[in-house]
């Protein structure tokens, strides 16, 4: 079970890093509203630019924490809690702007996987 959790933790970490570091200015089917970039997505949600920077910094830090749990397993639960909270916020933003439910599927999936990590690590 520990090996599966490790793989899951690393996978989640790298997915978040990919979104925020490599795909932030690229369009996807999952962006809120008609946004093509993360910046546009935060604008669609009615959130200020500085808030995007805060969320991005926190997500990247938590993703790194989750990815390095091979060496520091005690970081898994705090990182998963933080990511689950942020992903819950992402789902709420999709609901706020009345996006189709499918657009919130990645955030909901990441939140659910983080909740599973928390449950299985405790």
């Amino acid at each position: 079970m520990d090996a599966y959790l490790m793989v899951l933790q690393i996978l989640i970490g790298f997915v978040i890093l990919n979104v925020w570091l490599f795909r932030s200015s690229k369009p996807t089917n999952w962006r809120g509203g008609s946004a093509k970039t993360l910046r546009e997505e935060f604008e669609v949600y009615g959130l200020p630019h500085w808030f995007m920077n805060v969320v991005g910094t926190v997500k990247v830090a938590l993703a790194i924490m989750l990815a390095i749990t091979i060496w520091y397993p005690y970081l898994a639960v705090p990182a998963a809690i933080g990511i689950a909270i942020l992903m819950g916020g992402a789902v709420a933003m999709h609901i706020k702007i009345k996006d189709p439910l499918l657009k919130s599927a990645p955030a909901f999936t990441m939140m659910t996987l983080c909740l599973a990590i928390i449950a299985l690590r405790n």
Side-chain angles (χ1 to χ4, degrees):
M1 178 64 84
D2 281 344
Y4 291 119
L5 280 173
M6 259 327 150
V7 170
L8 182 60
Q9 291 161 193
I10 293 167
L11 178 69
I12 292 168
F14 282 115
V15 166
I16 292 170
L17 290 173
N18 180 50
V19 169
W20 280 88
L21 299 179
F22 303 111
R23 301 197 47 80
S24 64
S25 61
K26 296 179 180 167
T28 74
N29 294 330
W30 315 111
R31 300 242 185 260
S34 61
K36 303 230 183 302
T37 67
L38 274 174
R39 181 181 297 249
E40 289 176 13
E41 188 171 14
F42 273 71
E43 289 171 6
V44 166
Y45 297 146
L47 300 170
H49 177 67
W50 66 264
F51 191 70
M52 182 190 91
N53 292 332
V54 169
V55 169
T57 300
V58 172
K59 276 191 177 181
V60 166
L62 291 171
I64 291 168
M65 282 175 60
L66 206 52
I68 65 171
T69 56
I70 291 174
W71 301 284
Y72 306 101
Y74 60 89
L75 295 174
V77 171
I81 289 170
I83 292 171
I85 290 168
L86 290 170
M87 292 302 170
V91 170
M93 290 294 106
H94 283 287
I95 292 168
K96 173 188 171 192
I97 64 167
K98 297 178 176 52
D99 266 342
L101 284 179
L102 188 59
K103 281 201 173 198
S104 63
F108 182 79
T109 301
M110 290 290 140
M111 180 183 70
T112 303
L113 292 173
C114 284
L115 293 174
I117 289 168
I118 296 162
L120 293 171
R121 289 277 177 203
N122 282 326

